[in-house]
Amino acid sequence: MIVLLLIPLALPWILPPLARRTAGRVRPETALWTITAAAVALAVGVLACLGALLLPLALTIPPLAAVSELVRPLRAGPPLPVLGVSALAAGVLAVTAVTTLRRAVTEGRRLRRAHVDVAHLPHTGGLCVLDDPRPDAYALPGLRGPGRIVVTSGMLRSLDPREREALLAHERAHLAARHHLFLAAAQLAGWCHPALAAVVPDVSYAAERAADEAAARAAGDRALTARAVGRAALAATRGGRERPRVSPLAAGAVTGPVPARVKALLTGAPARRLAPALLAMALLCTAAGTSALAGAVRLHRGVEVAQGERPAG
């Protein structure tokens, strides 16, 4: 029973290599949805299994055992290893909860501060121009309303008019497709398991590639879009952007592996909708879910026995 609940805690380590292959070989929109969904599904499985593993230790506490109507101790395996694993699960859950809360509060403050910084600026169609010589551009998600595209004066001076339009189309695509929600979901999953944290860059890359493709369609010129992305990233690098990114949720055209994105724009994005990596991710999530469910069922039967009942089947 305990072994079945431990399997979903190990399976997330298989996802990072699958995510990398998917991000590079599958259409960006498909890769974005698939990788994010797999990360979230595995994170839910991890939390569910940690919660189930906590149960044997919790039910050794007399008041909880009385509430659960246990008439004998819960037998989930050899007592010492089971209680050790249960105590470890309790510690991991506590650390995860505290870490998630602290990081969520920090990200919320960063987003609010970013909105305060541009709240006084006039905007046309959601576009704000920040008077700053350092080249930068990003899509700032809205807290309670529509988001804004923020671009610095330094970035505008670095591009010609057509390149500016391609860059702004990229940022508009981020807001229209709500890419910040995918990035937020991936971040939350990463806070639940270290292996899932390694998937966050792949989700970010897929989001940037999806925005690149949308910008190329809007501009009607893939080479122009590639040039705009490359020159924007080069300008940001030469400009020595001192301040960190406003927030990981504020996607920008100069983030991620820019050379790979430019190459994909110039050579044409892979058009395959399906790839072996997609099937492997589906099987991975299925295996994690099946193992977690089987372990939970057996644990439930153990609780029924401890309650003095004869479990069905």
Side-chain angles (χ1 to χ4, degrees), residues 119-134:
H120 65 284
L121 297 177
H123 61 92
T124 303
L127 172 63
C128 298
V129 179
L130 191 62
D131 186 14
D132 192 328
R134 294 170 295 186

Side-chain angles (χ1 to χ4, degrees), residues 219-279:
D221 189 335
R222 299 182 67 84
L224 169 65
T225 305
R227 189 168 67 249
V229 170
R231 289 191 63 184
L234 186 61
T237 301
R238 288 178 175 174
R241 190 174 57 204
E242 297 176 2
R243 65 169 176 244
R245 168 66 54 188
V246 171
S247 167
L249 305 186
V254 299
T255 58
V258 174
R261 292 167 50 201
V262 170
K263 180 180 178 180
L265 282 167
L266 293 176
T267 59
R272 287 180 290 177
R273 293 179 177 274
L274 297 176
L278 292 182
L279 178 60

Side-chain angles (χ1 to χ4, degrees), residues 143-166:
L143 296 177
R144 297 182 179 178
R148 291 186 178 184
I149 298 170
V150 182
V151 60
T152 64
S153 56
M155 180 63 79
L156 293 178
R157 286 193 294 267
S158 301
L159 306 177
D160 65 35
R162 295 183 65 207
E163 291 168 347
R164 292 174 199 160
E165 286 303 317

Side-chain angles (χ1 to χ4, degrees), residues 81-257:
V82 167
L83 291 179
V85 170
S86 190
L88 183 60
V92 172
L93 272 176
V95 171
T96 299
V98 172
T99 300
T100 299
L101 180 60
R102 291 180 61 182
R103 291 182 177 178
V105 169
T106 299
E107 290 302 328
R109 287 175 177 171
R110 291 174 68 180
L111 281 176
R112 283 195 296 271
R113 188 161 54 245
H115 276 276
V116 170
D117 290 341
V118 301
H120 65 284
L121 297 177
H123 61 92
T124 303
L127 172 63
C128 298
V129 179
L130 191 62
D131 186 14
D132 192 328
R134 294 170 295 186
D136 200 2
Y138 50 89
L140 184 62
L143 296 177
R144 297 182 179 178
R148 291 186 178 184
I149 298 170
V150 182
V151 60
T152 64
S153 56
M155 180 63 79
L156 293 178
R157 286 193 294 267
S158 301
L159 306 177
D160 65 35
R162 295 183 65 207
E163 291 168 347
R164 292 174 199 160
E165 286 303 317
L167 180 71
L168 295 179
H170 175 101
E171 304 302 347
R172 282 193 291 268
H174 278 312
L175 292 179
R178 298 179 179 273
H179 287 162
H180 59 282
L181 297 180
F182 293 90
L183 297 173
Q187 271 200 335
L188 284 171
W191 296 339
C192 296
H193 196 286
L196 299 179
V199 175
V200 175
D202 299 300
V203 174
S204 178
Y205 174 72
E208 294 301 329
R209 283 286 301 116
D212 287 342
E213 292 297 324
R217 289 191 297 269
D221 189 335
R222 299 182 67 84
L224 169 65
T225 305
R227 189 168 67 249
V229 170
R231 289 191 63 184
L234 186 61
T237 301
R238 288 178 175 174
R241 190 174 57 204
E242 297 176 2
R243 65 169 176 244
R245 168 66 54 188
V246 171
S247 167
L249 305 186
V254 299
T255 58

